[in-house]
Amino acid sequence: MTDLLYSEEEDALRSAVRDLLADHCDAPGVIARTESDTPHDLAAWKALADGMGLAGLLVPEAQGGQGATHREVAVVLEELGRAVAPVPYLTSAVVATEALLACGTEDLLAELASGRKIGALAVSLHVAAGGAYKVVRHEGGSLHGELTGIADATAADVLLVPADDGGLYAVDASSATVTPQVSLDLTRPLATVTLDGAPGRLLGDAEPAVRRALRSGAGLLASEQLGLAEWTLTETVRYLKERKQFNRSVGGFQALKHRLAQLWLEVVNLRAAARNAADALASGEDTDVAVAVAQAYAASVAVHAAEEALQLHAGIGMTWEHPAHLYLKRAKADSIAYGTAGAHRAALAELVDLQAP
């Protein structure tokens, strides 16, 4: 039987990442970044990638990485979710890295693993593993076309672009036109990527690489959603204990206790689903089912937790200065990232041969 409890090493990793993010990604700082032209916190990214070596967790040691597993990556993502950290970890260290692992591109892998370069898979953030994604035209060694909804493309040094010939190409971001789009989640901005004769280097077959990348992205996104839900629940409980009304703490009212108890149960269930998905990705057993289960459940819990935080913080929760809005926007954006809950439920039904009438 698989042990889904956190190991001592995973707990130590969590503590180290949490301490680092406390220094780099405090709420006022993140809010200030979302109002600037540079939403990504590249100093925090450098500390995570260069200082702690976390960008290379999924990359084998022989290829310049740490040789860890998806379980350790999940712990990192829980902490990044708790801080709504504006760093391209999920997009570069997980999704782009998994695509490169499928292609066996050692030089690029080493650069992403060390944090020297940031990668972005040029597939729209809403696409689920196995779903249809837009491709660009490959003609005479160069690429032409426009791709929208590409997460963290504005921070990327290299874009991994699927083309109409079935290949996945590495494109230097400086040879593409990357235009920021209006994004609901200001901490994971989207962009349009326009290629007008950009040179591309063939890495391998796009279809298996994209499928592998998006499956890992979806499975580990559940850990980010778990971290987000845990933070919002913890902060809401803390606030309701402090807030006084009618000369007693608001948290003492029965109706609010029931709401928080229900939310706690949902978060505990999400932890089980997210840990199972991370473990399945690490072991390679029943991966598709575990990822579909986690993502069928995660979005509604993260959104519910963020909505309750916003409501139960009352007036202060509605202000721009309070970070509740960052968590709600991230939760809502995550709910359609790498496939909606409905898409994952449909995939799960097919996987377990339980078709709708």
Side-chain angles (χ1 to χ4, degrees):
M1 181 180 169
T2 301
D3 184 2
L4 298 183
L5 297 175
Y6 299 101
S7 66
E8 284 184 24
E9 291 81 4
E10 288 165 351
D11 283 334
L13 174 62
R14 174 191 309 288
S15 180
V17 174
R18 189 173 295 189
D19 288 347
L20 185 151
L21 293 174
D23 291 339
H24 283 277
C25 294
D26 63 313
V30 175
I31 292 169
R33 285 204 163 277
T34 64
E35 297 172 322
S36 73
D37 294 332
T38 52
H40 291 102
D41 189 340
L42 295 181
W45 168 253
K46 185 171 172 53
L48 287 164
D50 194 16
M52 295 182 70
L54 300 182
L57 286 181
L58 291 178
V59 180
E61 289 183 50
Q63 293 169 289
Q66 305 299 319
T69 73
H70 298 78
R71 288 177 61 118
E72 288 79 19
V73 174
V75 170
V76 175
L77 279 166
E78 284 179 34
E79 292 307 309
L80 294 176
R82 286 179 64 91
V84 285
V87 294
Y89 191 85
L90 182 64
T91 45
S92 183
V94 177
V95 176
T97 296
E98 286 276 26
L100 291 175
L101 285 167
C103 297
T105 316
E106 297 204 4
D107 57 331
L108 260 181
L109 266 175
E111 289 184 310
L112 258 61
S114 67
R116 291 196 302 273
K117 284 190 176 178
I118 295 170
L121 180 66
V123 171
S124 184
L125 184 62
H126 73 274
V127 176
Y133 52 87
K134 193 175 176 187
V135 296
V136 299
R137 193 172 85 257
H138 180 258
E139 197 174 276
S142 59
L143 302 168
H144 306 261
E146 183 179 275
L147 301 162
T148 58
I150 312 303
D152 293 334
T154 52
D157 301 298
V158 61
L159 301 164
L160 310 181
V161 182
D164 58 2
D165 63 351
L168 185 69
Y169 290 84
V171 175
D172 193 306
S174 62
S175 62
T177 304
V178 179
T179 311
Q181 290 179 245
V182 176
S183 309
L184 175 65
D185 177 11
L186 301 171
T187 61
R188 182 176 285 140
L190 305 178
T192 298
V193 173
T194 307
L195 303 170
D196 187 12
R201 168 188 159 201
L202 180 63
L203 302 173
D205 292 338
E207 198 276 329
V210 171
R211 178 184 288 271
R212 173 174 172 170
L214 296 184
R215 186 178 69 173
S216 288
L220 291 169
L221 177 67
S223 291
E224 178 186 291
Q225 290 164 305
L226 167 62
L228 186 156
E230 281 191 318
W231 185 91
T232 50
L233 174 60
T234 302
E235 281 300 299
T236 304
V237 170
R238 186 185 62 76
Y239 177 76
L240 292 180
K241 283 180 176 178
E242 292 176 356
R243 179 90 166 89
K244 295 282 195 294
Q245 204 168 23
F246 307 118
N247 212 27
R248 60 183 286 197
S249 70
V250 175
F253 290 104
Q254 192 78 1
L256 298 190
K257 284 183 178 179
H258 285 173
R259 284 169 70 169
L260 294 170
Q262 175 60 38
L263 192 54
W264 181 82
L265 285 172
E266 291 177 19
V267 172
V268 169
N269 288 337
L270 174 53
R271 183 183 296 115
R275 289 296 291 166
N276 186 49
D279 188 75
L281 284 164
S283 67
E285 295 177 19
D286 290 330
T287 309
D288 289 337
V289 170
V291 169
V293 167
Q295 273 307 319
Y297 187 67
S300 61
V301 176
V303 171
H304 183 210
E307 287 176 343
E308 290 287 69
L310 193 74
Q311 287 187 16
L312 296 177
H313 275 82
I316 189 69
M318 291 297 208
T319 64
W320 189 258
E321 290 74 22
H322 194 279
H325 64 96
L326 294 178
Y327 289 84
L328 181 56
K329 289 168 187 169
R330 172 68 70 89
K332 292 293 279 185
D334 281 357
S335 70
I336 61 168
Y338 307 117
T340 62
H344 287 285
R345 277 193 286 272
L348 180 61
E350 200 169 306
L351 287 166
V352 299
D353 199 24
L354 187 66
Q355 296 301 307

